[in-house]
Amino acid sequence: SKDGYRHFMLKEIYEQPQVIAATLEGRLSERRVLAESFGPQAEALLSRARQVHIVACGTSYHAGLVARYWLEKYAGLPTQVEVASEYRYRRVVVPEDTLFVTLSQSGETADTLAALRFARERGYLGSLAICNVPGSSLVRESDLALMTQAGPEIGVASTKAFTTQLVALMLLTLSLGRRHGLDAAEEARIVQALHALPGVVRQVLGLDAAIEALSTAFAEKQHALFLGRGAHYPIALEGALKLKEISYIHAEAYPAGELKHGPLALVDSEMPVISVAPNDELLEKLKSNLQEVRARGGELFVFADESVRLEDTEGVHVLRLPRIDEALAPLLYTLPLQLLSYHVAVLKGTDVDQPRNLAKSVTVE
Ligand code: F6R
């Protein structure tokens, strides 16, 4: 049931504090990720891994893209991420001691499953599925499984499955990191931030009314551009995918530094630009891009934390999020983009939970 919410999607967005807590449950001590989190056979696989290949589709693929930033930064492991429908049809070079990771809410996505079967013949160290459905094909056929605890996701547009995948991927990053030189103090700092995460997510949900107010600016638009840098580039991709899926507004995401290499030509007063820029370090580099957007009459929506020196001015809307450890910022900045798409779709009167042409689980190629 929708528990009084107007749509499953909204209910599922609001469930994120609980399902993130459930995904962390029993997997953390005060300062560390518990070794048992990945099951008894995990030790051999995780300690031998020297690189990681991640394969998934859609929103799950975006979670994989975030994980690449994390695995390379915190665990020092070379990481590749690819959409399953491409991966399964090409010649893939697999370096020795590579861990194969699939990400899937349903565990039944045809391309992801086929990619796993393809990978089995390619000499990987072993496979790990990060999945939300126990007993699914993907879980049954993988060597290891780390379950997300998102509960059933009914809305076709994935929300809570994505953020719990990110939580699981951070647990994987820290587990691999510990075996590959991640400093214990840094692990402890991120683990503390994970403990606090459900509370901070709840605070961000408190911004819903402010985000709903921003959504009116999009209802009449045909296009939107999302910008992010670093691990927030995949969050921009995910924001654009959500807007496309449920509001049918054409949206694209770019790493902010690419703007002047082409997409800037599209910007005018009809092209709102959404930028995910948690802190000043990221924003400094974005600022000149943002000015270029303003100079062309584009309306700007910036999601940033309190530390960012940027004021609301004509055509510039700044929405402040609570401060969070930078390791977890991509997770937190997902939420306002989910809410924004949701409210735009409601304004447009689309079928939010069952967008046209889409199925919840893509079990055919
Ligand atoms: C987007 C969405 C899809 C799925 C994709 C993979 O909101 O839900 O892009 O993420 O079809 O599905 P799973 O994760 O079940 O493999």
Side-chain angles (χ1 to χ4, degrees), residues 57-60 103-107 109 112 156-158 165 241-242 245 360 362:
C57 299
T59 289
S60 296
L103 304 173
S104 177
Q105 188 285 126
S106 61
T109 300
T112 308
V156 164
S158 185
Q165 280 170 347
L241 179 60
K242 286 291 91 100
E245 272 184 294
K360 180 65 185 160
V362 185

Side-chain angles (χ1 to χ4, degrees), residues 136-207:
S136 60
S137 307
L138 202 68
V139 168
R140 280 187 278 112
E141 295 187 27
S142 298
D143 300 318
L144 295 178
L146 182 63
M147 300 311 298
T148 49
Q149 302 293 343
E153 192 180 62
I154 310 289
V156 164
S158 185
T159 53
K160 61 179 182 167
F162 178 72
T163 45
T164 53
Q165 280 170 347
L166 289 180
V167 166
L169 285 162
M170 183 48 91
L171 297 176
L172 176 66
T173 300
L174 296 176
S175 297
L176 284 167
R178 180 186 310 156
R179 295 164 170 94
H180 297 91
L182 173 67
D183 176 56
E186 192 159 26
E187 179 178 1
R189 195 199 76 222
I190 297 173
V191 167
Q192 270 151 20
L194 282 170
H195 281 299
L197 185 61
V200 187
V201 166
R202 198 165 287 121
Q203 273 176 268
V204 171
L205 292 172
L207 302 171

Side-chain angles (χ1 to χ4, degrees), residues 71 150 192 246 283 314 341 359:
L71 285 163
Q192 270 151 20
I246 60 170
L283 189 70
E314 172 72 26
S341 314

Side-chain angles (χ1 to χ4, degrees), residues 5-82:
Y5 287 97
R6 185 161 168 198
H7 297 98
F8 281 109
M9 183 183 177
L10 190 61
K11 169 177 178 257
E12 289 163 3
I13 289 172
Y14 271 84
E15 279 169 356
Q16 287 175 108
Q18 298 94 281
V19 296
I20 287 171
T23 302
L24 292 170
E25 175 77 42
R27 291 170 170 165
L28 295 178
S29 70
E30 203 192 315
R31 300 171 59 83
R32 305 197 80 177
V33 175
L34 297 174
E36 309 84 273
S37 300
F38 294 82
Q41 321 95 297
E43 181 52 38
L45 268 187
L46 299 185
S47 50
R48 275 185 60 197
R50 289 282 171 276
Q51 42 268 312
V52 183
H53 284 181
I54 301 176
V55 169
C57 299
T59 289
S60 296
Y61 167 68
H62 294 154
L65 290 177
V66 173
R68 176 170 62 193
Y69 288 89
W70 287 346
L71 285 163
E72 299 213 342
K73 175 168 184 172
Y74 299 109
L77 295 179
T79 301
Q80 284 190 30
V81 191
E82 194 164 356

